[in-house]
Amino acid sequence: MILKDLNTKTIIMDKLLILYLSIIVLLFAAWFLYQYGIYSHDYGEYEKIWHYTNGVSFSDAYLNARYEIGSYFLFWNLSQVTSAAQTFYIFGLISLSSKFYLIKRNYNYPLVSFSLYMIIFVPILDANQIRAALAMTILMYSLCIKSNNIFTYLVLAGIAVLFHFSGIIILILYLVRFPLLGLIGLIVFSFSVQILISSFSYLAFAEYWLASPSGKANLTSSIFILQAGIFFVSIYFWKKLSYLQQKGAYLNAFGVLIYVLFIDYDIVAHRIRELSQIGIMSILFFGEKKWTYIKLFSALCISYIAIYNLIYIFGRLA
């Protein structure tokens, strides 16, 4: 009886400690989001959107600036009661809090996982590209489920696209059961898109969406090389990965191929490659709680990416 009471107390103390640490991490994340959001590249654009939405009906606001309707509706609601800066921050905080919940419920070593997410993704998503950050929340949920029903991924992709067009990449997770077919289809699709854009002048506007004036993506980027390395290591160990790890590895492979195939369209290449990095966390934090060769390699790669981002973050905040 005494031993049982001690075990019960130990379990309660462990849960309280985890809760305490979780609260600290989440509060730090909220503070970090605020501090970094001040320097956001995209804040100016969202400040303009706030002026379109504040004090008007949703239909009038949507006529002024047409963005993805889910994101715009949320932004419009917030803009009615908060300032432009507060709207931008709360929008990002909703996204970040949702990811904290997802990671805590589904990932091994959730506090470590969320800390890595903060370092790698918050600067480019939740404190910057806030619409894409909400779509990423749905993508992360899609990576956590074991469904192989195409209807499930169609619904999730449909929800994600309401927040940002990049959410369409959820559909490739269904193809993890047919990995080679999916990647061949991606190659055919990418060449078809580029041929159509170059062949028809009325599609020239698409280049504005897909590429910046600087042009090409950089194949010698150290982060791209690491992701490519994980791609090839994943192929070698494919059959030893769990289903959820395979989904993460496949998402990473998708990002690597998009980066190469759309080398002349740097905006889409960088955006999809950045989003696909979340797949590395699936390799690392799903499956059995033991070190494997691919987990070790992924840990080394994601550590490099985290250190690289920390140096950049300190440079921005200094």
Side-chain angles (χ1 to χ4, degrees), residues 110-149:
L111 294 183
V112 176
S113 305
F114 185 71
S115 298
L116 279 173
Y117 178 86
M118 263 201 310
I119 296 169
I120 296 172
F121 293 101
V122 166
I124 59 175
L125 288 174
D126 307 84
N128 196 45
Q129 301 166 18
I130 54 176
R131 291 168 19 248
L134 280 175
M136 167 73 97
T137 305
I138 312 300
L139 172 61
M140 288 179 67
Y141 174 76
S142 304
L143 287 165
C144 294
I145 61 175
K146 294 183 179 180
S147 173
N148 55 15
N149 187 329

Side-chain angles (χ1 to χ4, degrees), residues 22-275:
S22 298
I23 292 171
I24 290 175
V25 170
L26 186 57
L27 289 174
F28 178 79
W31 173 84
F32 176 67
L33 179 69
Y34 174 77
Q35 291 296 321
Y36 199 88
I38 296 171
Y39 302 97
S40 168
H41 294 297
D42 284 12
Y43 172 71
E45 184 64 28
Y46 283 103
E47 188 174 26
K48 293 177 184 176
I49 297 174
W50 184 88
H51 287 291
Y52 294 145
T53 58
N54 177 249
V56 300
S57 68
F58 179 69
S59 57
D60 289 341
Y62 196 65
L63 288 174
N64 289 330
R66 297 186 180 183
Y67 292 89
E68 297 87 353
I69 194 166
S71 290
Y72 206 57
F73 185 69
L74 175 59
F75 197 93
W76 172 80
N77 274 286
L78 291 172
S79 70
Q80 304 309 303
V81 292
T82 60
S83 67
Q86 290 168 341
T87 298
F88 184 80
Y89 176 72
I90 294 171
F91 202 107
L93 189 60
I94 291 170
S95 170
L96 187 58
S97 301
S98 302
K99 295 186 183 78
F100 179 80
Y101 176 79
L102 275 176
I103 289 173
K104 195 170 184 302
R105 285 291 301 270
N106 297 284
Y107 284 58
N108 296 330
Y109 312 108
L111 294 183
V112 176
S113 305
F114 185 71
S115 298
L116 279 173
Y117 178 86
M118 263 201 310
I119 296 169
I120 296 172
F121 293 101
V122 166
I124 59 175
L125 288 174
D126 307 84
N128 196 45
Q129 301 166 18
I130 54 176
R131 291 168 19 248
L134 280 175
M136 167 73 97
T137 305
I138 312 300
L139 172 61
M140 288 179 67
Y141 174 76
S142 304
L143 287 165
C144 294
I145 61 175
K146 294 183 179 180
S147 173
N148 55 15
N149 187 329
I150 189 169
F151 180 73
T152 300
Y153 294 102
L154 285 171
V155 170
L156 290 171
I159 295 171
V161 167
L162 291 175
F163 297 109
H164 195 264
F165 71 90
S166 60
I168 196 70
I169 68 173
I170 288 173
L171 292 178
I172 67 102
L173 298 178
Y174 174 72
L175 298 174
V176 73
R177 298 189 303 155
F178 322 102
L180 188 58
L181 179 64
L183 295 181
I184 291 172
L186 173 62
I187 294 171
V188 172
F189 171 77
S190 66
F191 281 120
S192 300
V193 168
Q194 293 179 61
I195 289 170
L196 286 172
I197 291 174
S198 60
S199 300
F200 298 98
S201 58
Y202 57 82
L203 293 177
F205 70 91
E207 293 198 11
Y208 174 77
W209 291 350
L210 302 176
S212 67
S214 60
K216 291 190 174 184
N218 179 15
L219 293 181
T220 61
S221 160
S222 58
I223 294 179
F224 166 73
I225 291 170
L226 290 176
Q227 281 191 253
I230 293 173
F231 173 31
F232 291 115
V233 173
S234 298
I235 293 173
Y236 185 79
F237 289 105
W238 182 257
K239 292 185 178 180
K240 294 184 178 181
L241 298 175
S242 71
Y243 178 60
L244 296 184
Q245 287 177 309
Q246 286 180 346
K247 288 170 73 173
Y250 200 64
L251 179 62
N252 176 70
F254 178 80
V256 169
L257 280 181
I258 284 288
Y259 197 78
V260 174
L261 295 170
F262 285 87
I263 187 172
D264 292 322
Y265 299 94
D266 60 330
I267 292 178
V268 68
H270 283 296
R271 178 68 59 84
I272 299 301
R273 183 192 59 75
E274 288 171 352
L275 291 177

